[in-house]
Amino acid sequence: MSSAKLQNVAIFGATGNIGQHIFRALANPQLPSYKPNITVFLRPGTTQSKKASFPSSVRILEADPSDRAQLAQALRGIDVVISVLSGPGIDAQRDLLEAAVEAGVKRFYPSEWGFHNVYRKPGDEWGHIHPLWDQKARFADWLVRHPAVESGRITYTIIGNGDFYDQEWEYIWCAWAQDPARVGPQYKMYILGDANAKVDWSSLDDVANFAVATLARPEDSCNRTLNFPSDTVSQVRIAQMLEEYSGKPVERVHVPMEEVHRVIEDPSRAPKEVAESSKIPVQFWYTVKGCQGMGIGYRPAEFNHHEAWPEVKRTSIEEYFKRKFDRS
Ligand SMILES: NC(=O)c1ccc[n+]([C@@H]2O[C@H](COP(=O)([O-])OP(=O)(O)OC[C@H]3O[C@@H](n4cnc5c(N)ncnc54)[C@H](OP(=O)(O)O)[C@@H]3O)[C@@H](O)[C@H]2O)c1
């Protein structure tokens, strides 16, 4: 399969937080040898202001990802479907995949863009997967065993990454990404469990560039799960670097694992400022951060694939801080 065969790319979820970065990387690919033709699929009724956020040269189609018949028609001529959907959009990917197979699409990128952990508290005989992770895991289990994948009619690439460290809209999740002018006299970081535990972090743009690079090398990304961390550092180190580069002190709020387990069981115990900081349910935040604090928030080196794609630059958190605080 040559790269020319993955030339026509359809993206679903391009209006979302992560999808905007994937779209921009597709529209401005780092590799001069690969320039895809992009079709952005939006939900029917998408506002004019969301549509206007895309360059006028981009092909935009409106379709409901769960309307299989309409999609199968609209996807004719498309080589790759990239999904950056979330919420109910994850389950809608089943119809999207069936439509893609019917339309002759060659490659499917499901909405993963993360890292699943099995959460266990002391004494548990069984592990638990948070429903937000399980929803994606169930889709991936179905996708990789789909008859059309097994027969080679369609292939898949699943992109995994670390915790996105530059989600500037998440003022607790990414406390360090906040504008220094707005945080007041000091930053405040909630650190759950072991503050020295190694954690995988990813930059949104690095992962977006990695995804595009995997399209440019379709043979190497065929039927694979490829993980791309930008950096692996502890939260202790992040707090130190934040103080060094921002010039502001960082208040560290250490939450012991016993309390993490209690909040996961009863999310109403979470501090109000944490619970209200995000549209993401606070129980999920405690599960992600709790797994990091248990030391399972990074992948061993052999699970990662950045070394096989040296053409994609990785941005360490230190480089991000240097740029953010103008210390380069
Ligand atoms: N590793 C990490 O740190 C991390 C962090 C955040 C997210 N993620 C993952 O990244 C992926 C995208 O998340 P996100 O935060 O970018 O989500 P988001 O901002 O909520 O955006 C979701 C996108 O999906 C569309 N959408 C939602 N429900 C839909 C439905 N029923 N039918 C059609 N379209 C629908 C939205 O379209 P509209 O504009 O029409 O609403 C939007 O374009 C998810 O898999 C998420 O788990 C990973």
Side-chain angles (χ1 to χ4, degrees), residues 13 15-18 43 50 65 86 111 113 136 161-162 164 279:
T15 53
N17 288 324
I18 316 301
R43 285 201 266 190
K50 278 191 182 177
S86 74
S111 189
W113 320 107
K136 296 201 285 186
N161 45 261
F164 284 121
K279 66 175 183 175

Side-chain angles (χ1 to χ4, degrees), residues 28-175:
N28 306 290
Q30 281 190 331
L31 306 169
S33 55
Y34 179 67
K35 179 104 182 99
N37 307 315
I38 311 166
T39 303
V40 171
F41 277 83
L42 300 176
R43 285 201 266 190
T46 296
T47 60
Q48 208 48 46
S49 66
K50 278 191 182 177
K51 286 184 192 165
S53 66
F54 298 97
S56 53
S57 55
V58 168
R59 182 174 178 240
I60 295 182
L61 294 180
E62 286 190 15
D64 181 341
S66 56
D67 187 337
R68 199 184 289 191
Q70 184 199 10
L71 273 174
Q73 198 58 34
L75 287 171
R76 300 234 170 257
I78 294 291
D79 299 316
V80 190
V81 165
I82 298 187
S83 167
V84 207
L85 297 171
S86 74
I90 303 285
D91 291 335
Q93 292 181 129
R94 288 189 178 242
D95 289 306
L96 181 53
L97 177 73
E98 300 291 8
V101 171
E102 204 176 316
V105 170
K106 300 179 183 77
R107 178 72 56 90
F108 194 93
Y109 281 61
S111 189
E112 172 44 55
W113 320 107
F115 184 178
H116 306 165
N117 285 116
V118 176
Y119 161 75
R120 297 179 181 86
K121 63 179 184 309
D124 276 351
E125 288 181 13
W126 290 66
H128 307 264
I129 299 183
H130 189 279
L132 289 181
W133 278 331
D134 190 44
Q135 188 188 25
K136 296 201 285 186
R138 272 182 283 128
F139 180 78
D141 282 346
W142 177 76
L143 166 67
V144 301
R145 294 168 183 83
H146 192 284
V149 170
E150 291 191 341
S151 68
R153 282 177 68 197
I154 195 164
T155 58
Y156 67 84
T157 306
I158 299 175
I159 305 282
N161 45 261
D163 195 351
F164 284 121
Y165 65 68
D166 48 358
Q167 300 177 74
E168 290 174 1
W169 58 92
E170 293 286 355
Y171 63 89
I172 297 277
W173 196 302
C174 293

